[in-house]
């Protein structure tokens, strides 16, 4: 009778090996985010050359979708006027985004800091969450970088389940979810404004219902609106 090895398998990994793995994985994620956020394609974004298809435009937020096999990648982007990139970065993080996905985020804590800009985070949703996130937990890395041209990038993605199990054994009846890649690209514009691109790619196997894919663009607009409100409510602390 076949068995399911992913339920109990875990890998013990040294901190140095973990740092090298996460650095390499996050570097790939950053490059994917930068490629997907290329704002120089504004006039040709609806073309199918790069696989992106605009599926909605609401409140100034453009939502696009790209599919590769069973994986769906969603991209939202918008311009924030009179908001500097540094100010938006105060809410561009894994924990604030998780709170917007579902309010019943019962645990959000940093497990390990691998470098000053590279951390491992545990996100756990409770029993009162919507079905999509109920009793789900995610072990993710978060990496923050400033590119040579000043573009700010935050990359967030799940660790492989075996590595995550070695770092943080699954607790209670929670289910490990998988966030393939996500993050923000924040580009500086004139007049102390910025263009923000938020990208998320989810693994539908076992946790992303097909019906949710069709409603993802509406959820993204809501998340973006709430993050914008948070930014505008924050006092300026970047010296601008």
């Amino acid at each position: 009778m076949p068995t399911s090895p992913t339920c109990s398998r875990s890998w013990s990994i040294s901190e140095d090996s973990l740092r090298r793995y996460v650095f390499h994985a996050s570097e790939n994620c950053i490059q994917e985010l930068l490629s997907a956020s290329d704002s120089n394609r504004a006039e040709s974004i609806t073309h199918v050359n790069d696989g992106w298809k605009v599926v909605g435009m609401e409140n100034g937020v453009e939502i696009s979708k790209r599919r590769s096999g069973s994986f769906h990648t969603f991209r939202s982007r918008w311009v924030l006027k009179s908001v500097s990139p540094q100010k938006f970065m105060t809410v561009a993080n894994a924990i604030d985004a998780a709170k917007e996905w579902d309010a019943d985020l019962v645990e959000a804590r940093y497990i390990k800091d691998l470098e000053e800009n590279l951390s491992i985070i545990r996100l756990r949703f409770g029993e009162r969450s919507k079905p999509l996130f109920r009793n789900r937990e995610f072990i993710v890395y978060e990496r923050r970088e400033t590119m040579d041209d000043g573009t700010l990038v935050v990359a967030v993605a799940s660790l492989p389940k075996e590595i995550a199990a070695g770092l943080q054994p699954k607790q209670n009846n929670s289910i490990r979810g998988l966030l393939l890649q996500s993050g923000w690209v924040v580009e500086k514009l004139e007049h102390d404004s910025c263009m923000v691109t938020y990208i998320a790619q989810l693994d539908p196997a076992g946790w992303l219902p097909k019906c949710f894919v069709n409603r993802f663009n509406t959820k993204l607009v809501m998340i973006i609106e709430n993050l914008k409100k948070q930014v505008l409510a924050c006092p300026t602390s970047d010296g601008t």
Side-chain angles (χ1 to χ4, degrees), residues 119-153:
S119 303
I120 307 297
I121 302 170
R122 181 173 187 242
L123 305 168
R124 184 168 66 88
F125 296 91
E127 294 186 355
R128 292 182 297 175
S129 294
K130 294 180 176 64
L132 180 64
F133 289 98
R134 187 172 299 148
N135 292 326
R136 303 278 177 179
E137 69 173 21
F138 299 82
I139 307 299
V140 301
Y141 64 74
E142 178 184 275
R143 180 174 169 188
R144 310 172 76 85
E145 288 289 349
T146 302
M147 302 293 104
D148 291 340
D149 63 356
T151 297
L152 304 175
V153 185

Side-chain angles (χ1 to χ4, degrees), residues 34-94:
L34 288 171
S35 176
S37 69
D38 184 2
S39 59
N40 294 323
R41 294 178 286 109
E43 296 301 322
S44 60
I45 195 169
T46 56
H47 294 179
V48 297
N49 298 342
D50 59 1
W52 290 105
K53 179 181 179 181
V54 175
V55 295
M57 178 73 75
E58 185 175 339
N59 296 333
V61 179
E62 177 194 86
I63 306 293
S64 304
K65 181 173 72 172
R66 181 169 67 184
R67 181 171 181 175
S68 177
S70 62
F71 299 137
H72 298 266
T73 306
F74 291 83
R75 176 182 67 191
S76 58
R77 57 185 182 182
W78 67 103
V79 172
L80 278 177
K81 296 183 179 179
S82 301
V83 175
S84 69
Q86 290 76 15
K87 188 170 184 180
F88 183 80
M89 289 292 278
T90 62
V91 298
N93 60 75

Side-chain angles (χ1 to χ4, degrees), residues 2 7 29 59 61 66 76 113 116 118 130 138 156 163 168 180 186-188 191 210 231:
C7 295
C29 185
N59 296 333
V61 179
R66 181 169 67 184
S76 58
D113 291 325
E116 184 178 355
L118 184 60
K130 294 180 176 64
F138 299 82
V156 179
I163 294 178
Q168 189 76 33
L180 294 177
V186 187
E187 304 169 71
K188 183 176 178 59
H191 309 299
K210 190 173 183 180
V231 171

